[in-house]
Amino acid sequence: MGLPGPLAKRARDVDRAEHEWGRREVDSWARTAEFGQPFSWGEAEAAVLARDYDRLPGSFGARMLGVVGWTTVVIAAIPLAGASLIGLVLVALGRGETGADAAQDWFSLATTAFAVATVAAVVAFTIWWETRRRSIALLIINALNLVGSAAAYAVLAVSTATAESWLPILMLASGLVSAATLGLGLFSKPEGRTNNRKKSLKPPRRGPRGDKRARALRARKRLLEVVVHRGLVKLDEADLIRVGEFPLGYWSELDGLDEREWRRVLERRHTGWRDFTSET
């Protein structure tokens, strides 16, 4: 399923502008630029990062569409994450009704809310089971689910109106699954943490931010293709991929290395091969 016509046209316009910019500002320069020998990775990257990264035509509209998309996702996720709290409110409204039929109407809506809360709890448990890591977002969702379910069950227990049998069952299911996932999460390692502290370190971010950063990465990739094509550096396919994926702003780490250190740096490109600090 493709994008709607206007969105697809805007995306094509941005891609076309990006291609023209890359051909004009990167390719034409890289094909004729005089690079020193031996080839300096740091100087080459610094040169490409110094190119002009003004906004592309249509990029503001594309960013706004992205913001709207993420906002829509967040708004849609709020009822899922807070379903038990919504159910708590509905149960409280039902308990406040004097007529049995009116109370049942609220309890029926609460049953739907706690069905959603149970699904959310099971999904959260599944995510934990796959990652076995502590996620702040999941801890918050499970805590809200547990509090909402427990409070709603307590309110229903002192209510004079009788609810459908499914309502207390769903409350218990939601609360118990959330409690189990919350407990498991609290005793799990945080996301991104490994047993080897050095492997979990990441180099401080360098270079442009935001949209300019993505464009700089694409420009550096174009530069890499050109210098390889010109024969200024000799890389096999695996090393070409590794150099292209190296953290932005860190090509200088590849200069002046012997073969052993070269292999060591490239193979650990994602986590950093030395203890990076804010002063690096």
Side-chain angles (χ1 to χ4, degrees):
M1 182 177 179
L3 291 172
L7 300 185
K9 182 179 183 301
R10 185 176 294 276
R12 288 194 298 270
D13 290 343
V14 174
D15 288 342
R16 189 180 302 111
E18 175 71 39
H19 177 75
E20 288 300 318
W21 176 88
R23 183 181 60 80
R24 182 181 67 254
E25 298 292 337
V26 181
D27 293 2
S28 59
W29 159 75
R31 290 192 185 104
T32 59
E34 293 291 334
F35 295 101
Q37 289 297 325
F39 182 80
S40 173
W41 292 98
E43 290 181 8
E45 183 182 44
V48 78
L49 292 181
R51 312 308 292 177
D52 185 10
Y53 289 97
D54 289 338
R55 287 191 184 278
L56 294 172
S59 61
F60 178 77
R63 172 183 282 189
M64 289 300 99
L65 288 175
V67 170
V68 171
W70 276 109
T71 302
T72 302
V73 171
V74 171
I75 292 175
I78 288 175
L80 182 64
S84 64
L85 298 179
I86 296 173
L88 170 61
V89 173
L90 294 171
V91 169
L93 291 172
R95 181 180 181 275
E97 293 288 349
T98 55
D101 292 340
Q104 286 303 321
D105 290 340
W106 290 113
F107 289 160
S108 296
L109 293 174
T111 300
T112 302
F114 279 102
V116 174
T118 302
V119 171
V122 172
V123 169
F125 176 78
T126 302
I127 294 174
W128 175 87
W129 185 264
E130 292 178 350
T131 62
R132 304 299 176 93
R133 289 291 184 267
R134 181 167 70 244
S135 165
I136 298 300
L138 288 182
L139 289 179
I140 293 174
I141 291 173
N142 283 303
L144 292 175
N145 219 4
L146 175 58
V147 171
S149 299
Y153 192 86
V155 171
L156 185 63
V158 298
S159 174
T160 55
T162 303
E164 308 174 354
S165 59
W166 277 107
L167 181 54
I169 292 175
L170 290 171
M171 289 177 179
L172 287 173
S174 172
L176 291 175
V177 174
S178 293
T181 309
L182 182 63
L184 291 169
L186 289 173
F187 287 98
S188 300
K189 293 179 180 178
E191 288 181 329
R193 184 74 59 82
T194 65
N195 291 330
N196 188 333
R197 181 177 177 275
K198 289 186 177 181
K199 288 186 177 181
S200 69
L201 294 174
K202 293 183 179 180
R205 179 168 291 194
R206 294 177 179 175
R209 305 279 177 143
D211 293 341
K212 292 183 179 181
R213 186 172 187 82
R215 293 183 61 203
L217 282 167
R218 289 193 291 269
R220 192 183 68 169
K221 182 179 179 181
R222 298 179 79 115
L223 169 67
L224 179 61
E225 293 171 353
V226 172
V227 296
V228 170
H229 180 74
R230 289 179 60 183
L232 300 178
V233 294
K234 297 185 182 300
L235 299 175
D236 59 29
E237 185 175 350
D239 282 353
L240 183 64
I241 294 173
R242 289 177 177 132
V243 172
E245 293 177 347
F246 211 73
L248 187 65
Y250 283 86
W251 265 8
S252 59
E253 303 291 342
L254 300 173
D255 291 327
L257 303 179
D258 58 26
E259 179 63 23
R260 181 179 179 183
E261 284 298 294
W262 171 268
R263 297 256 63 82
R264 182 180 169 198
V265 170
L266 288 187
E267 289 170 3
R268 300 183 66 181
R269 65 194 180 281
H270 290 303
T271 55
W273 66 288
R274 57 179 62 162
D275 290 338
F276 289 101
T277 66
S278 57
E279 292 79 27
T280 301

